[in-house]
Amino acid sequence: MFRAVREMLPGRGSPAVKAALAQFERDGYAVLRGEVPPSLCDAFWSDVEKSLATDGDLRIVSAGKPVRNAERAQPYSALWSGRGDPERIIDIEAQVARAPQLMLHESIASFLRGALGGAPTCIQTLTYSHSSQQAAHSDKFLVSPRAAGPYDRNTLIASWVALEASDDGNGALIVWPGSHRLPKRRLKDDFAGKYGAYVAHLKELCADAGIEPIRFYAEQGDVLFWHGDLVHAGGKIEEPSRTRKSLVCHYAQVKGPSKWADKRVVKTQGGSYYMPAV
């Protein structure tokens, strides 16, 4: 379970991190403004583009299915066609050495240690060139990365790093403050995987509780955190010619070692994450 802000040791974390932890406990989401240097954001994305151009092992979700970069019929394009769901890259840290500098950035790791009461484990990353446009959902029972195996879903937290500014035009993120406290029905168990019915349930649930959605307008280097059971969505892309580059990371307390022999845990000062076995 999440460690209450009041239980934190005096003096731990910067004032910005402490304020973010208080916001997180209250609203189920929190914001750190300008914590990641723009130079790191730009350098990371430059590495991503190089990997897309040269690395056939990069894993990309296209049309709802993960494929190797080398198996794609057409090269990945940073320009969205305006049709279907924008693609996303899975576990970029396996191909881009700079990724952990973002995943476990000092401010991000400090926030997570305060929320979790210990060092975080990054169980999954998703790299986007555009808004996902994913409708309202909760991550709690949807995030099941194979590397992590069983993990404590009550400790799930996401971070979203803005690699460039976001607004209504390129699909700002949408959150429903306080919705992490609402008991929810599950997509697979209660709706037989019918996503439309699941989304309608969540929106009705929030409306009945008097919770209105708000949009998160970001500048490059801003970080948004959300509780694993917070209702959130990717905003609709109004201007298809614009990108909305971002890195999403999911963290949790993991119950045991990876059940996959091809994965190993890498430990750093900020926390840990998974990589292919050597």
Side-chain angles (χ1 to χ4, degrees), residues 120-131:
T121 297
C122 182
I123 61 175
Q124 173 180 263
T125 68
L126 303 170
T127 305
Y128 293 88
S129 60
H130 291 78
S131 166

Side-chain angles (χ1 to χ4, degrees), residues 130-258:
H130 291 78
S131 166
S132 68
Q133 297 195 117
Q134 187 174 0
H137 64 284
S138 159
D139 290 338
K140 185 172 182 179
F141 294 103
L142 298 185
V143 173
S144 298
R146 73 169 198 158
Y151 70 91
D152 186 350
R153 292 181 181 272
N154 290 318
T155 67
L156 183 64
I157 299 177
S159 74
W160 181 89
V161 179
L163 302 176
E164 62 181 339
S166 69
D167 53 37
D168 290 335
N170 61 358
L173 277 163
I174 304 168
V175 297
W176 280 258
S179 58
H180 61 302
R181 297 192 182 93
L182 302 177
K184 304 169 182 67
R185 296 167 68 188
R186 301 185 190 180
L187 172 62
K188 183 178 180 180
D189 296 341
D190 300 310
F191 297 99
K194 296 179 180 178
Y195 204 82
Y198 169 70
V199 171
H201 158 67
L202 292 178
K203 288 185 174 181
E204 182 179 2
L205 188 70
C206 289
D208 288 346
I211 297 175
E212 296 292 334
I214 63 172
R215 292 177 177 270
F216 174 61
Y217 301 124
E219 296 296 331
Q220 187 181 45
D222 290 350
V223 184
L224 173 69
F225 299 95
W226 63 82
H227 184 287
D229 210 14
L230 185 82
V231 180
H232 61 286
K236 182 181 178 181
I237 300 171
E238 302 289 351
E239 301 174 36
S241 62
R242 292 178 58 197
T243 57
R244 198 212 66 183
K245 301 165 188 170
S246 63
L247 175 68
V248 174
C249 303
H250 290 106
Y251 311 85
Q253 293 178 347
V254 180
K255 297 179 180 179
S258 172

Side-chain angles (χ1 to χ4, degrees), residues 37-55:
S39 58
L40 177 56
C41 295
D42 291 339
F44 169 72
W45 193 262
S46 177
D47 290 347
V48 170
E49 290 185 329
K50 291 176 184 176
S51 188
L52 283 165
T54 62
D55 195 335

Side-chain angles (χ1 to χ4, degrees), residues 53-76:
T54 62
D55 195 335
D57 288 330
L58 202 66
R59 294 174 64 229
I60 299 170
V61 174
S62 181
K65 297 181 179 179
V67 297
R68 291 178 61 249
N69 197 22
E71 298 169 349
R72 293 170 46 78
Q74 296 180 346
Y76 183 97

